[in-house]
Amino acid sequence: MRLILARMPALDAALIRFDGWWGSRSRREQVMLGGLALFLAALVLVFGVIKPLQSARAAALQDIRTYETLTARIRAAGTLNASQPQRRQGSPAEVITGSAPGFGLAATVAPIPGGARATIADGGYDSVMAWLADLSVTSSLRIKRVDLQKAAAPGRVSATVDFGG
């Protein structure tokens, strides 16, 4: 293998001028300029190479954590199911009393003209809302009126709900 070097007159002239300039410096100046060159090279290395690589690595790790979190959430959500939930059958009172215990609620049902009135003496707000959402999806009952009263304990309510068919 043969290495061919091309002579560049401009580079040769610049090196000759630098050698003349460097030779005219005292030993003390040469040491100081060499130290300055090392210091500048270290700065360029740190702030031009190492810091950008560290910030790119940190950003990549943050992206990995974000995507792993999203993947975990998607897997935890499961698959989308297009099937309809099982419809509740029976009279309004049977539907209401049959669904409330599944949400940790005790409902008292009284018939009213055109439907039924359910009274929850004490229940969690989230449970009451989930129960109402479930009834609207799994039965033909429709909510006509809701009266929620805040209980003494945080997050607890009493509810009176009028359902129509």
Side-chain angles (χ1 to χ4, degrees):
M1 183 164 143
R2 187 186 254 178
L3 181 64
I4 300 174
L5 295 175
R7 301 291 296 183
M8 292 187 279
L11 180 62
D12 289 340
L15 288 174
I16 290 170
R17 274 192 320 235
F18 176 76
D19 189 40
W21 177 81
W22 185 259
S24 67
R25 303 288 128 217
S26 69
R27 181 75 183 141
R28 181 174 178 255
E29 287 177 329
Q30 288 177 351
V31 168
M32 288 174 49
L33 287 172
L36 178 63
L38 284 174
F39 178 71
L40 290 176
L43 281 178
V44 168
L45 178 69
V46 168
F47 291 105
V49 177
I50 294 173
K51 289 287 188 178
L53 284 175
Q54 285 179 337
S55 67
R57 182 179 184 271
L61 288 173
Q62 181 61 39
D63 289 344
I64 289 169
R65 280 192 290 272
T66 299
Y67 292 125
E68 284 177 345
T69 302
L70 289 174
T71 301
R73 286 182 179 177
I74 289 170
R75 286 187 179 149
T79 60
L80 296 176
N81 191 357
S83 66
Q84 295 292 330
Q86 184 178 359
R87 302 289 288 178
R88 297 181 187 273
Q89 301 295 324
S91 68
E94 291 171 348
V95 171
I96 294 168
T97 55
S99 67
F103 294 92
L105 302 171
T108 306
V109 181
I112 59 170
R117 176 173 289 153
T119 304
I120 309 279
D122 182 41
Y125 176 80
D126 294 337
S127 297
V128 172
M129 290 297 117
W131 173 63
L132 293 175
D134 179 67
L135 278 177
S136 67
V137 171
T138 61
S139 71
S140 60
L141 295 176
R142 296 295 163 241
I143 300 170
K144 290 183 174 179
R145 185 181 72 83
V146 177
D147 180 28
L148 288 176
Q149 297 295 321
K150 181 177 151 186
R156 305 299 288 181
V157 295
S158 62
T160 304
V161 184
D162 290 349
F163 293 97

